[in-house]
Amino acid sequence: MRALCMLLLWPLLLAAQTPAPRSGLEFASADVRALQADDFANPGMLWVARGEKLWNTPAGRSATSCAGCHREAPVSMKGVAARYPRFDREAGAVLNLEARIKRCRESRQQAEALPHESEDLLALTAYVAHQSRGQSLVPAKDVASVAARERGREQYFRRQGQMNLACMHCHDRLAGRKLLSDTISEGHGNGYPAYRLEWQALGSLQRRLRACFTGVRAEAPAFGAPELIELELYLVQRAGPLRVETPAVRR
Amino acid sequence: MQAVAAEPAFPPLAAFRIDGDAIHAPLAAIAADVQRGRDIVASRDGNCLLCHAIPETGARFMGDIALPLSGVGARLSAAQLRLRVVDQARLNPDTVMPSYYKVDGLHRVAPAFRGRPILSAAQIEDVVAFLQTLK
């Protein structure tokens, strides 16, 4: 009887023991936290401002701006970034926010494609994501995303690269410890695109993830590759109720 | 079709024998060099400082993922140190310490490192010589 009780209670006990996820912000030094807290000092806000300008600029053969269809971003884009990646019926694929914006740019505006990590794509993504700042991430529930997220979870726990380490080893086990001079965080993506002092620039979550592949001497997937989208999906789920911080500042 | 010059292949790994928790025979017949070992440990070749503090290297930044290696030369013999650098996973399958002399059973290794161990047999011997001085 005791054993049965324990068995039934086990999931509850586990849930009670799992500590709440902590944003990378909590692992950052005081000066980095101060930069993020002040919109006038946060260098990432330069990209947000640039994104706002692009939002209102007509482009492509449609000669329409984003605003031409979506009107006021603070209204139409509020909470949108928190729901990505998710399945897009028209694309027939799971898209992250960058890919969703690229589609509108190419098929609705009929403008030339914005390459991954281009200043304009980062700016638009930062501007759209910024409209969700303070909102909790929402894991996608559609069938395609759930299946892709499971592949992302498997990747997260698989050792890889010449150093033979999984994401889990650093971000679940060693959070708070120093890897050379870097404090390892729990590896959440809620602040991206983020301004990294190391980059002296704003960069996407995929850029950061590729650096983690390279760091263990694993072959990094190309920008936009399914492996990275799958990881992004899993990261949203494990980030639980963390809130969007875009544009975050990180070391 | 034009032949593409392949990366020079890494020579096959030297055979070694594990006895208990040690590898007694050196992996390479070289005059191991403590100074070279110190350089490997502190450079990107060995990258030991990512995880271990080794104050004896005089480095400014050192990780705290694993225990500091000061005194390790007094705790462990050369043969024990050799196995730990070659393949710590033999002692602890769950370890985060990379196996420095291993090319099999790895997943998605970047092309530049494929088929190569992190350190060569000669480098392992230099590192073991340096670790022995940490007393």
Side-chain angles (χ1 to χ4, degrees), chain A residues 155 158-165 168-169 173-174 176-181 184 213 215 217-222 227, chain B residues 44-45 47 49-51 61-66 93-96 98 102 106-111 113-114 116-118:
Chain A
Q155 271 193 77
R158 186 187 305 136
R159 286 180 184 264
Q160 61 175 357
Q162 195 191 34
M163 286 182 69
N164 206 21
L165 292 171
M168 169 275 287
H169 288 111
R173 280 204 201 160
L174 299 173
R177 301 284 196 88
K178 273 210 152 54
L179 188 73
L180 200 61
S181 55
I184 301 177
F213 277 76
R217 299 184 174 176
E219 186 173 19
E227 288 101 320
Chain B
R44 292 186 66 93
D45 282 355
N47 250 338
L49 303 181
L50 274 182
C51 297
F61 295 112
M62 300 184 277
D64 64 3
I65 302 248
D94 203 29
T95 189
V96 298
K102 176 174 150 166
L106 301 176
H107 174 70
R108 214 189 161 97
V109 176
F113 302 104
R114 227 167 268 165
R116 298 163 170 265
I118 304 177

Side-chain angles (χ1 to χ4, degrees), chain A residues 11-64:
Chain A
L12 288 177
L13 288 172
L14 270 184
Q17 277 167 1
T18 311
R22 296 206 291 153
S23 163
L25 184 64
E26 293 189 44
F27 296 87
S29 61
D31 48 332
V32 167
R33 286 204 303 271
L35 268 185
Q36 180 173 321
D38 178 355
D39 278 352
F40 292 100
N42 182 340
M45 289 305 287
L46 295 174
W47 278 261
V48 171
R50 178 177 175 144
E52 181 174 12
K53 223 179 262 155
L54 287 169
W55 179 266
N56 292 301
T57 308
R61 277 192 286 132
S62 72
T64 315

